[in-house]
Amino acid sequence: MRSAVVARIAVEHTAYHFDKPYDYLVPATFADIAKAGCRVMVPFGTGNRKRQGIILSLGEATELEKVKPISSVLDKEPVLSAEMLELVSWIREHTFCTWYDAVKLVLPAGINMRIVASYCMVEGVDIESVTDVTEEELNILQIIYKSRGTVEKSRLLEVCGLSEDSKLPDKLVEKGLLNRTDEAVRKIGDATIKMARLVETDGVMPKLTPKQKAVVDFLTQTYAASVKEICYFAGVTQAVITGLEKKGVVELFENIVYRTPTTSYVTENKDIILNEEQQEAYNRFCEMLNSDEGGAGLLYGVTGSGKTQVFLKLVDKAIEQQKGVIVMVPEISLTPQTLALFNSRYGGRVAIFHSAMSLGQRMDEWRRVKNGEADVAIGTRSAVFAPFDNLGLIIIDEEQEHTYQSESTPRFHARDVARFRAAYNKGLLVLASATPSLESYCAAQNGRYELCRLQNRYGNAHLPKVHTVDMRQEVKQGNLSPISRFLQERLEETLKNGEQAILLLNRRGHNTIVTCSGCGTVKSCPNCSISLTYHSANGRLMCHYCGYSEEFTDKCSECGSDRIKYSGFGTQRAEQELSILFEKARILRMDADSTMARNSYEQKLSAFAKGEYDIMLGTQMVAKGLDFSKVTLVGVLNADGSLYSEDFRSYERTFSLLTQVVGRSGRGDKEGIAVVQTVTPENEIISLAATQDYDSFYNQEIGMRRAMVYPPYCSICLVGFVGDTASDTRDGAMRYLEMLRIAGENSPHIKMIVLGPSVATVPKVSGKYRYRILIKVKNSREFREMTADLLKRFMKDPQNRNVTIFADMNSESTF
DNA sequence: AGCACGCCGACT
DNA sequence: GTCGGCGTGCTC
């Protein structure tokens, strides 16, 4: 038998345990267009249902027993380059996902818009008087005629019993009997917000349950709102809204989240003059950029030291050399300010990648990069996949931010992908931060990254003076407010001087703990192991994990006592407190509740920048990347908030958060101050952050990591188990542990420290029980292969039917 | 995830 | 005798 061309194909919708590249025959008719990186349709499984796939590589084969042929080729030109195909393979191996999951990750979401053909009758055609058609064609016409509208091609052919690629309907179009319309149909699950509005019913309203009535009342006031908002304010789940839709009371519609990448913000494109430090950093990075080998560097500069100016100069240089540039920023700092800066400098050569953009826009930006119409891709972590052919420079700003880590499969870290791409292209990777991650700083110390420091603030600005306030003393002296007297005085001064203040409180809601003094019950979520938070905006107790909420009453549901005690305070409570203390102050609250509509985030920030507010109060979103010259006071209301969790990164996170928020103060000409409130002033992390002493922090923390064997001295592989009952889940975890033990015995040179199984940080979320195993290990190919094999075997075992499992290397999320 | 094959109980 | 319940195994 002659050998034939065979394509190795990643097939969509395969489960991890049977995923692999599948071999398909390339029929001679497709020989010219079937290239690696092209998407195809292939028959799959016993039913030979059509599935999408992508050609990973082409080869020759003589073993053709089970091989089926490709049905069709979807792309004229490959959508993935050789580099991207290698990246796909890398992602699959490192994140334990399927081949196609990795493919989908690197392609823009909009690429899966399907063009669906529909047919309708041409106006004025009388079906009775049609002649010159076959019986089959007449059948088609009758079906469309009876529908009195348009019929989708696929349904039409199915009803008529015709094959999928039948040309008959198009023939009828040629004969002038049918009209064809091609519509782009989105695949579900894309970036639209589900909205709901009332249906005009002329006052006729069917019987409603109390919950349904709450929704209708809310909608009567607002006309239309996102389903998420309705759930929040009416205190219901989505099911209630679905029920109302069935009753015909409300209708649902999709609102495409559209955001114009060109902003109204205008920034002057000033010439950049680097100071000595900046110039030195620039020179060293430039050298690497010019070299054939490329490399990686860490730009460590204190808050406000002008890292951005160094970037811009480097970007200029790379563009000059006709190389592609990727600039990544954390989700939160992709503000109009940043975009305007790049737009004014590079104009139409900038492509923007951001999750809040419409699918069509993202697709356009992707194409512009692919076609060489853009040189600079700026955006959040998805920008790392910008399809440049000649990538020369990648910059990651605030590289320690956890937003660079994906929280859903494939759980990749943009920093790792950037390292891969820079190495592949022999380009330059620059990581920048005021508080680098321990991993990066350690790598810089060991010479794996070139280290450049910026130790002085840009211009005349000085680092703010930091005061620490012991909140235990405040309580002792009778001040139960979340605002210490010292901070209150500083706020008064700031307001009097017409300056602005930022206050950080890393908790949403009003009161975080509601206890009954009668029986001691703490109000907690029935689905999750989490206490409920009281929200004054809607008068409900809410779970911040699953969204559960219940009506708040001042009687205990357990014992009927009315001795309800509140403790812990959130942003809502602090806002209330502030408005009493400072009647005239204009207060802006920024948290996930008040900024639910995405766009309002920007609007509020620019309003604050214009001086329309005096105090900005919010969760950690106020701490990052914002640059307001009129801010001279920063207050941290509960510095200990995130300090005492069991996660080994909690010190690092707290230090980073405190350092950053303190750095928001005094960025203009005026000197700023910061007030840090804590109940544990003796904790060294807080005093180190107060003095902005990263080096001491690093030395202390890295010693700890070495002694306890934590990253960067090992990698941590998290194996998570989720199930409906605690015992099933724990048993599953135990079975995995046993499998791991045997596998470890067979590969004695893989050194592992296995912790667990133990319950997850939050043991129960949305009614599902969670267990985990942590493995301290070197992240080697061998270990990854072993893990992949264990995962597959675990999933295949019917004993584990009720347990889902995942593995995550070096995750930064807590599970 | 689908889909087919296959082996036991309620029905015309 | 047959229709159909869902347990088990495979996907080029």
Side-chain angles (χ1 to χ4, degrees), chain A residues 730-750:
Chain A
R730 196 192 50 238
D731 292 351
M734 291 304 290
R735 280 192 288 273
Y736 189 86
L737 182 69
E738 179 59 14
M739 289 162 67
L740 181 65
R741 192 186 61 77
I742 295 166
E745 276 174 11
N746 294 332
S747 311
H749 46 285
I750 302 181

Side-chain angles (χ1 to χ4, degrees), chain A residues 363-383:
Chain A
M363 198 55 213
D364 289 348
E365 299 295 80
W366 186 84
R367 281 218 185 85
R368 287 178 51 221
V369 173
K370 189 124 179 96
N371 297 339
E373 290 161 32
D375 311 303
V376 186
I378 173 164
T380 52
R381 65 166 180 260
S382 56

Side-chain angles (χ1 to χ4, degrees), chain A residues 149-222:
Chain A
T150 55
V151 180
E152 262 184 34
K153 183 177 186 179
S154 56
R155 232 190 67 215
L156 181 68
L157 296 176
E158 203 182 82
V159 174
C160 300
L162 293 165
S163 84
E164 206 171 285
D165 43 12
S166 168
K167 299 276 183 289
L168 280 183
D170 288 318
K171 257 192 194 161
L172 290 168
V173 174
E174 275 170 40
K175 287 186 183 172
L177 298 170
L178 291 182
N179 273 333
R180 174 180 165 144
T181 47
D182 284 5
E183 248 181 292
V185 174
R186 257 196 331 272
K187 282 200 170 176
I188 35 158
D190 285 322
T192 54
I193 310 187
K194 218 192 233 168
M195 306 281 290
R197 64 176 161 234
L198 288 176
V199 175
E200 298 290 334
T201 51
D202 305 326
V204 193
M205 192 63 84
K207 260 196 186 162
L208 297 175
T209 65
K211 286 199 169 187
Q212 291 174 337
K213 188 157 187 321
V215 173
V216 171
D217 286 347
F218 177 72
L219 280 175
T220 314
Q221 289 164 31
T222 54

Side-chain angles (χ1 to χ4, degrees), chain A residues 608-624:
Chain A
F608 185 77
K610 281 184 211 146
E612 290 170 23
Y613 292 96
D614 304 307
I615 301 174
M616 173 154 63
L617 162 75
T619 52
Q620 55 183 303
M621 64 170 73
V622 304
K624 321 262 176 170

Side-chain angles (χ1 to χ4, degrees), chain A residues 498-609:
Chain A
E499 291 157 7
Q500 290 177 305
I502 293 178
L503 300 181
L504 170 74
L505 175 54
N506 223 350
R507 284 217 175 106
R508 291 195 283 137
H510 194 84
N511 286 102
T512 47
I513 299 171
V514 181
T515 329
C516 167
S517 308
C519 60
T521 319
V522 176
K523 272 284 177 194
S524 58
C525 177
N527 309 319
C528 311
S529 35
I530 280 295
S531 65
L532 293 174
T533 295
Y534 175 64
H535 281 224
S536 55
N538 56 3
R540 300 182 71 86
L541 295 171
M542 304 197 65
C543 170
H544 287 176
Y545 275 77
C546 72
Y548 168 87
S549 77
E550 64 180 51
E551 187 82 41
F552 170 75
T553 56
D554 44 15
K555 282 222 161 51
C556 173
S557 54
E558 295 293 315
C559 68
S561 158
D562 56 1
R563 285 155 59 209
I564 303 289
K565 215 179 89 199
Y566 312 91
S567 46
F569 52 85
T571 44
Q572 292 180 358
R573 165 86 195 286
E575 182 187 24
Q576 187 185 45
E577 198 84 19
L578 283 167
S579 62
I580 296 168
L581 287 173
F582 307 101
E583 271 179 22
K584 291 202 181 114
R586 296 159 299 169
I587 300 163
L588 171 63
R589 198 184 89 225
M590 297 282 287
D591 56 33
D593 299 326
S594 67
T595 55
M596 234 159 358
R598 263 182 172 275
N599 297 343
S600 71
Y601 174 70
E602 277 179 17
Q603 284 163 14
K604 286 178 173 179
L605 282 183
S606 68
F608 185 77

Side-chain angles (χ1 to χ4, degrees), chain A residues 254-279:
Chain A
E254 304 260 287
N255 217 4
I256 295 174
V257 191
Y258 186 86
R259 191 164 104 162
T260 340
T262 50
T263 70
S264 51
Y265 250 80
V266 186
T267 315
E268 243 179 274
N269 183 15
K270 283 181 247 165
D271 262 350
I272 292 169
I273 297 153
L274 301 179
N275 65 26
E276 210 173 300
E277 273 186 334
Q278 290 172 318
Q279 187 66 42

Side-chain angles (χ1 to χ4, degrees), chain A residues 343-354:
Chain A
N343 268 331
S344 60
R345 201 169 174 84
Y346 307 110
R349 306 296 293 178
V350 179
I352 295 162
F353 291 84
H354 191 276

